Amino acid sequence: METLSENACFGGIQGVYRHNSTSCRCDMTFGLFLPEEARDGPVPVLWYLSGLTCTHENAMTKAGAQAWAAEQGIALIFPDTSPRGEGVADDDDYDLGQGAGFYVNATQDPWAKHFRMWDYVAEELPALVFENFELDSDRQAITGHSMGGHGALVMGMNLPARFRSVSAFAPISNPTASDWGRKQFQAYLGDESPDWLKYDATVLMKEVGFDGPVLIDTGTKDQFIDLLRPEALAQAVAARRQQAVLRMQPGYDHSYFFVSSFMEDHVAFHAEHLYA
């Protein structure tokens, strides 16, 4: 693992690191904020999964999460959204290929060789960071924005013993019924099949839910709201009687202005359960 940068940040350290990924078969970069408390021992972890076109850097520099994480003594991990580099498949459309991994394990050419983002975020990167940094693997939570909100919700429900709480900002909530999902699943996973369903938060909510608290915020003026399908997830939450808070925030759109406006709420929500 190579250290690309480390900067003092709210009493802690904001680092950026690069390593060779066996899952994605290329170099991968991630951000990690360690609060001051990490100097004295392992601290709880909040994963932040970013959305379409983003890298590890977008949320790290725009979401304003470090200030609230430092206040709560929580580490933040910012993975990249896809494999990158020479020889990695890409597409001219912004919502497919590099920057658009959708947190799935691709099975179709030309994506299958590198696009193993589920394995990378769920297995490889956790093993790396818990081995090398003062982090408490027994106290983890996960959040994300848009495509990353989709990733956070499906990882929470597919890995129920790992995360104490799950939240999302404007998640892609029902990808198997949306153009943000069907297009990518067709490319990465092939013709519609049961493999699609394990990556759909609405389907998973109906079938298994999450054994813990959930918080979701979406803006009423989100320009992509028809693609996000928040109403589908809300219906599944209600039908399952899942413990959850789903908020429609008046006047907010899909931008990082929206994310940063409610980041304090989300970090405090996770802190309550990480320190319970």
Side-chain angles (χ1 to χ4, degrees), residues 7-257:
N7 299 96
C9 182
F10 293 101
I13 297 291
Q14 176 62 65
V16 177
Y17 309 93
R18 181 166 58 207
H19 70 108
N20 184 261
S21 167
T22 56
S23 301
C24 296
R25 301 170 75 175
C26 64
D27 286 344
M28 296 291 287
T29 303
F30 66 94
L32 170 65
F33 170 73
L34 288 174
E36 186 176 7
E37 289 83 351
R39 299 170 188 169
D40 299 321
V43 294
V45 177
L46 176 57
W47 293 83
Y48 183 100
L49 305 185
S50 289
L52 287 166
T53 76
C54 292
T55 69
H56 70 281
E57 188 175 21
N58 294 72
M60 190 179 78
T61 59
K62 294 180 179 180
Q66 292 92 336
W68 309 118
E71 188 175 284
Q72 301 286 356
I74 293 172
L76 299 167
I77 302 175
F78 304 99
D80 202 347
T81 57
S82 77
R84 299 179 191 273
E86 186 177 354
V88 176
D90 201 8
D91 192 271
D92 290 338
D93 288 343
Y94 75 95
D95 58 356
L96 190 67
Q98 295 187 35
F102 263 77
Y103 304 101
V104 305
N105 281 340
T107 59
Q108 305 299 303
D109 291 333
W111 314 104
K113 181 178 179 181
H114 296 285
F115 281 70
R116 308 285 298 178
M117 287 302 293
W118 181 274
D119 285 350
Y120 177 69
V121 175
E123 303 299 336
E124 183 180 359
L125 186 55
L128 180 72
V129 296
F130 288 120
E131 180 181 353
N132 287 280
F133 299 98
E134 288 291 336
L135 304 172
D136 185 349
S137 62
D138 291 328
R139 292 186 292 166
Q140 297 185 63
I142 191 166
T143 188
H145 173 226
S146 192
M147 179 184 73
H150 140 77
L153 291 169
V154 299
M155 286 200 175
M157 286 184 276
N158 278 302
L159 303 170
R162 181 173 302 183
F163 302 108
R164 296 193 181 187
S165 50
V166 174
S167 76
F169 300 86
I172 300 172
S173 298
N174 191 197
T176 62
S178 167
D179 287 344
W180 268 1
R182 293 191 62 83
K183 172 184 177 179
Q184 293 80 7
F185 289 3
Q186 178 74 42
Y188 296 146
L189 305 173
D191 292 340
E192 188 166 356
S193 72
D195 288 343
W196 288 27
L197 302 181
K198 65 183 179 182
Y199 299 119
D200 188 306
T202 295
V203 172
L204 289 169
M205 183 60 70
K206 291 176 181 177
E207 294 183 350
V208 299
F210 177 70
D211 186 19
V214 176
L215 171 64
I216 299 174
D217 280 311
T218 304
T220 61
K221 292 190 176 179
D222 192 307
Q223 58 270 47
F224 305 111
I225 198 165
D226 290 339
L227 296 168
L228 305 177
R229 292 181 52 80
E231 68 282 356
L233 182 59
Q235 290 167 6
V237 165
R240 189 169 187 81
R241 299 174 182 172
Q242 166 74 42
Q243 177 186 358
V245 176
L246 283 67
R247 307 188 299 193
M248 298 300 300
Q249 298 292 358
Y252 285 90
D253 60 16
H254 200 71
S255 69
Y256 266 96
F257 297 111

